[in-house]
Amino acid sequence: MTVQPPLPFARARNAAQRQDRLSQITTVTRELLTHRRATALTLTDVAMAAGLAKSGILRYVGSREALLLQVMHAEHLDWIDALTEELPGTAAPTALARTLAARPVLCDLISASPALIAQLDRSELSVLTAQASDAQQRLGAALRPALPLSDDQLRALTAAVHAFTGTTWAWTDPHAIQPMVTDFTSTLTRLLTVFIAGLASTG
């Protein structure tokens, strides 16, 4: 990505301009995350890449953590679209693991999310709660045709997908001297297979 020199901040004058600026910042952040981990990305990095002042970035996103979690939500929605296309003809655990493995930015953000969430203020946490509810409902709707589970079981599964993904991704850390897991996709597939079987047996 070409880094632009920061420009003087110009406040968006209407809702459309504000949304355009937010989309610009989010797009730049998603691109940066393809080259570095969420834990290493700073607002200064984002500001330089976007050609904006850091103070301008903060006016729109509130904090680094809120920005990264906004990107995670966008990544979630794109992943759910890909999963919906993958599910017909593919077992749910395999489809889940395969499509997640294809989205390392999302997996990295999920892994980093507990630390990010801990830094949010009350208003940012309210936004995150709404985003999480939206993603959970969309994921449940995508999985429902493939799995004979109740709504409560689907909610439990969506939570498990998030938890298993974050943990498995951290265990597969390529920067570790000796990663605890060497195959993210197969490990996640096995975990989800066992969890889904357990849910089905209690239905």
Side-chain angles (χ1 to χ4, degrees), residues 79 82-84 86 94-104 106-107 185:
W79 164 61
L83 175 66
T84 302
E86 179 85 7
T94 301
L96 284 162
R98 185 183 296 167
T99 52
L100 282 163
R103 294 185 171 274
L106 175 58
C107 293
T185 305

Side-chain angles (χ1 to χ4, degrees), residues 10-28:
R11 185 185 298 274
R13 298 185 181 278
N14 55 51
Q17 290 177 351
R18 180 176 176 80
Q19 185 57 50
D20 286 346
R21 185 64 57 83
L22 282 169
S23 296
Q24 174 195 5
I25 294 169
T26 301
T27 298
V28 166

Side-chain angles (χ1 to χ4, degrees), residues 61-199:
V61 302
S63 67
R64 167 184 171 273
E65 292 77 16
L67 171 59
L68 290 173
L69 290 167
Q70 173 64 42
V71 171
M72 186 176 77
H73 180 58
E75 288 282 333
H76 257 125
L77 299 188
D78 286 352
W79 164 61
I80 292 168
D81 287 343
L83 175 66
T84 302
E85 295 181 3
E86 179 85 7
L87 274 171
T90 304
T94 301
L96 284 162
R98 185 183 296 167
T99 52
L100 282 163
R103 294 185 171 274
V105 169
L106 175 58
C107 293
D108 185 48
L109 286 166
I110 290 173
S111 181
S113 62
L116 299 175
I117 293 169
Q119 298 301 315
L120 298 182
D121 64 26
R122 183 172 298 180
S123 64
E124 292 170 339
L125 190 58
S126 177
V127 172
L128 174 67
T129 300
Q131 292 175 341
S133 177
D134 176 53
Q136 183 181 64
Q137 291 175 19
R138 290 172 185 254
L139 180 55
L143 290 168
R144 186 171 290 109
L147 295 170
L149 300 176
S150 69
D151 288 346
D152 285 345
Q153 289 173 324
L154 284 170
R155 282 191 288 270
L157 175 56
T158 59
V161 169
H162 197 277
F164 290 157
T165 298
T167 301
T168 305
W169 188 258
W171 286 347
T172 321
D173 183 0
H175 303 290
I177 296 175
Q178 187 174 354
M180 294 177 64
V181 170
T182 57
D183 190 329
F184 173 84
T185 305
S186 64
T187 300
L188 185 57
T189 299
R190 289 196 299 272
L191 288 170
L192 290 171
T193 297
V194 171
F195 190 82
I196 291 170
L199 286 176

